[in-house]
Amino acid sequence: MKVDKILNEIEEMGDAHAASSAKTPLREDAFELSDSEKIDLIKEDVRHIMETLGLDLTDDSLKGTPQRVAKMFVSEVFSGLHPKRKPKASTFENKYKYGEMLVEKNITVYSTCEHHLLPIVGKAHVAYISNGTVVGLSKMNRIVDYYAKRPQVQERMTMQIVHELQNVLGTLDVACVIDAKHLCVNSRGIRDIESSTVTSEFGGAFKQKEIRREFLDYIKLDTSF
């Protein structure tokens, strides 16, 4: 009975997309194994899952799948777990004295829901107001990508992006809005293919109604080429 209750609680939390922490939950020994060691272990786990499902891994189409999935997990879709892959965000003096907000919008987000390990796909819009320091535009995209490449909850990812840029730029005046589709909602459970999830984090000056409104208006601009 107790086991059934725990399983029900886990299932309900997954469907509610509850986050346990503002930081990605990692064990202290998370990086003791090398990437190649992790790939070898995950490969066997994927093989076991596929065999349990009844798949014939001697088939030419399937026999390489465990290796491909393991390599993809470690080197691609979950590569943002390792701090050594955090992008180095070089900053520069704002010599041209640009004092308005800078907005980088429509940054592609490819992440993975940590409750069902299904894709989260959408767009991030990031802005900051310089206090004397600027960062390269591509670094904003790279920071988004870094935090996306791990098992995620969208609320946490939005906060992590803002906090990272606040640290890099030395200012609280950073904002992020993410609009994304969750395949755990679109392809299973309720299977609602039309809905998307919007999250936001506003720091410093962006908590002011007028500045927040200006940022949101910029996001609406049509910049199709």
Side-chain angles (χ1 to χ4, degrees):
M1 183 69 69
K2 186 176 180 180
V3 173
D4 290 340
K5 181 181 178 182
I6 293 172
L7 290 175
N8 286 335
E9 288 175 353
I10 291 172
E11 182 64 25
E12 288 173 4
M13 184 181 75
D15 287 340
H17 279 233
S20 61
S21 170
K23 293 184 177 180
T24 301
L26 287 168
R27 298 198 321 269
E28 290 184 3
D29 64 348
F31 309 113
E32 289 183 1
L33 294 176
S34 68
D35 284 357
S36 59
E37 289 173 324
K38 289 182 178 181
I39 289 171
D40 286 341
L41 289 170
I42 294 171
K43 176 176 67 176
E44 293 308 311
D45 292 334
V46 175
R47 182 187 306 280
H48 181 242
I49 290 171
M50 296 179 71
E51 287 175 343
T52 301
L53 290 171
L55 295 167
D56 180 6
L57 294 185
T58 65
D59 185 89
D60 286 344
S61 180
L62 296 178
K63 62 184 178 182
T65 298
Q67 172 71 18
R68 285 190 292 268
V69 172
K71 187 176 179 181
M72 177 186 68
F73 276 9
V74 174
S75 303
E76 297 178 61
V77 296
F78 299 142
S79 61
L81 286 170
H82 206 301
K84 74 179 182 182
R85 296 192 177 93
K86 180 186 286 189
K88 294 180 180 179
S90 300
T91 56
F92 310 92
E93 182 183 350
N94 184 8
K95 292 183 178 179
Y96 27 84
K97 307 301 180 184
Y98 179 73
E100 300 300 318
M101 75 175 67
L102 183 147
V103 181
E104 185 81 357
K105 67 176 192 171
N106 294 329
I107 301 172
T108 299
V109 172
Y110 282 109
S111 192
T112 304
C113 167
E114 69 180 37
H115 297 128
H116 296 96
L117 297 185
L118 285 170
I120 299 171
V121 182
K123 297 290 183 181
H125 314 284
V126 182
Y128 72 90
I129 300 171
S130 173
N131 68 346
T133 301
V134 295
V135 67
L137 294 179
S138 67
K139 293 300 187 291
M140 298 169 72
N141 297 62
R142 293 182 189 280
I143 287 170
V144 170
D145 192 54
Y146 172 70
Y147 285 104
K149 281 190 163 58
R150 55 180 68 184
Q152 270 293 15
V153 174
Q154 188 172 321
E155 298 94 321
R156 179 199 296 139
M157 176 167 52
T158 309
M159 295 168 63
Q160 288 175 331
I161 291 165
V162 168
H163 294 166
E164 180 65 21
L165 278 167
Q166 286 174 330
N167 289 333
V168 167
L169 291 161
T171 178
L172 293 176
D173 301 338
V174 179
C176 178
V177 171
I178 297 178
D179 184 3
K181 285 183 174 289
H182 293 238
L183 265 70
C184 56
V185 175
N186 302 148
S187 68
R188 60 162 296 282
I190 192 65
R191 289 183 291 183
D192 182 348
I193 63 171
E194 296 299 329
S195 66
S196 67
T197 301
V198 178
T199 51
S200 62
E201 178 76 2
F202 300 110
F206 286 93
K207 292 184 180 296
Q208 299 174 28
K209 185 176 180 180
E210 322 80 64
I211 295 178
R212 184 167 65 245
R213 181 73 264 165
E214 181 183 350
F215 170 48
L216 297 176
D217 285 342
Y218 279 136
I219 292 175
K220 296 177 185 175
L221 290 175
D222 184 5
T223 51
S224 300
F225 294 101

